Amino acid sequence: MSQIKQLIRLYQSGSGIKTIARILGMSKNTVKSYLKKMADGGFNTEELLKQEDPLLEKSFYAGCIFR
């Protein structure tokens, strides 16, 4: 499972940004960035979790917002 899906599931379960960052081994700013991209893209978490990992990860990298 991709880190992004793990991030989404942790966030859904009520974990905080610091906790998510520690569990996934990424910075708090990265977690915040992913959460912001999700909010700005207007997608709900269930839709994102249904995407295939490569497509989902492509959506978050290189400044792309859900294209």
Side-chain angles (χ1 to χ4, degrees):
M1 177 186 326
S2 75
Q3 277 195 318
I4 297 169
K5 284 188 179 180
Q6 291 177 37
L7 182 149
I8 292 168
R9 291 202 170 134
L10 287 166
Y11 186 70
Q12 280 182 323
S13 72
S15 296
I17 292 171
K18 281 176 80 171
T19 303
I20 295 169
R22 187 178 62 248
I23 290 170
L24 298 180
M26 59 178 63
S27 76
K28 292 182 293 185
N29 288 339
T30 302
V31 173
K32 289 177 191 178
S33 174
Y34 286 166
L35 294 175
K36 182 175 176 1
K37 285 183 180 185
M38 284 192 305
D40 291 349
F43 288 85
N44 70 40
T45 54
E46 294 304 319
E47 290 176 19
L48 294 174
L49 289 172
K50 290 178 185 177
Q51 291 185 7
E52 296 291 325
D53 288 348
L55 178 61
L56 179 62
E57 291 187 14
K58 182 180 176 186
S59 298
F60 279 90
Y61 294 116
C64 178
I65 301 177
F66 304 105
R67 295 195 175 145

